[in-house]
Amino acid sequence: GQLAYHRLMYLYKRYVKSDRLVMPIVEYIAKDLKSNLNRFDPEFGSSIGDDLPSNYIFIPFQVNDDTQVKYNTPNIDDMEDMLERIYEAIKKTPSNYDIVVKEHPHAKRSYRDLKQRYQDIFWLQKSFPIEKVVKNSSLVITLNSSVGFQALAKYKPVVTLGYAFYDNHPYVTSCTDLENLSQNIQHSID
């Protein structure tokens, strides 16, 4: 990953710089390698660029110390706890959906450990356009974020794990009993 990119750039600078025929090829490979690292390597931000999976469940992170997380979500401690529970619930369903996670733009915490633990999740950079992720998602699972409300405006099903002002909407499944999360997810995407 990252080591291969840096090694290639070192070799390029040390040995190839004078060879005009090889330089463009090495530059192209280095650029391509770096863009692939941006897509998968936590050290480079784990963005998937413009290529969202075709079928995915979107999990927008919230700021851990936000009052919505602290006071309106009695069964979830923080974003790590939320992701662990959602991940396990999705894996119990018979559906074959990818998981896409986007950190909150104002989050202060690094999620490097989660990115390493859940390498099969598509991690978006904080700057990735939220509208595009919501529009192309099959389901949004959130604590009580306004992203859930945005999803409803796009006629997307939403599962909330906390108390949200939009819980009574017909496209929302409010899951306050986490033992039922797998069933709620399956019901929402069927």
Side-chain angles (χ1 to χ4, degrees):
Q2 181 181 7
L3 183 61
Y5 169 75
H6 289 293
R7 181 75 176 146
L8 180 63
M9 291 311 297
Y10 167 78
L11 293 171
Y12 163 73
K13 289 176 183 173
R14 178 153 182 158
Y15 298 108
V16 184
K17 203 166 191 175
S18 63
D19 187 347
R20 293 182 192 273
L21 295 174
V22 178
M23 276 194 309
I25 296 169
V26 171
E27 288 174 338
Y28 175 79
I29 292 170
K31 182 179 176 185
D32 185 58
L33 179 58
K34 189 168 184 180
S35 79
N36 283 330
L37 288 175
N38 280 345
R39 185 173 180 176
F40 299 109
D41 192 333
E43 293 297 319
F44 280 82
S46 296
S47 170
I48 60 172
D50 292 331
D51 302 325
L52 290 166
S54 57
N55 293 313
Y56 63 89
I57 296 171
F58 176 44
I59 304 169
F61 274 18
Q62 292 175 236
V63 177
N64 272 329
D65 58 357
D66 186 290
T67 56
Q68 290 286 37
V69 176
K70 289 185 170 209
Y71 301 113
N72 291 323
T73 312
N75 298 319
I76 302 288
D77 296 327
D78 54 23
M79 296 302 101
E80 183 173 354
D81 182 31
M82 178 184 78
L83 182 61
E84 287 172 1
R85 291 170 184 256
I86 294 171
Y87 184 87
E88 292 305 317
I90 291 171
K91 295 305 175 188
K92 290 179 185 174
T93 65
S95 12
N96 189 21
Y97 286 86
D98 288 309
I99 302 171
V100 173
V101 172
K102 182 179 184 296
E103 296 175 48
H104 192 280
H106 301 296
K108 297 172 189 147
R109 182 186 185 273
S110 166
Y111 291 101
R112 179 177 293 164
D113 56 327
L114 287 180
K115 292 174 184 179
Q116 290 174 347
R117 190 175 337 150
Y118 299 105
Q119 293 184 13
D120 58 332
I121 288 178
F122 291 88
W123 292 88
L124 298 174
Q125 290 181 352
K126 293 177 181 182
S127 61
F128 197 93
I130 193 77
E131 300 81 16
K132 183 174 183 177
V133 189
V134 169
K135 178 183 175 187
N136 295 308
S137 67
S138 300
L139 171 67
V140 175
I141 304 176
T142 182
L143 296 179
N144 46 25
S145 169
S146 62
V147 175
F149 192 66
Q150 287 177 275
L152 295 175
K154 302 267 186 229
Y155 304 101
K156 298 293 180 176
V158 176
V159 172
T160 59
L161 305 180
Y163 306 119
F165 70 91
Y166 50 83
D167 274 343
N168 291 328
H169 190 282
Y171 287 3
V172 175
T173 301
S174 179
C175 181
T176 52
D177 181 359
L178 297 176
E179 295 296 319
N180 297 325
L181 184 55
S182 290
Q183 295 90 339
N184 290 153
I185 291 169
Q186 190 62 46
H187 170 77
S188 297
I189 55 180
D190 281 343

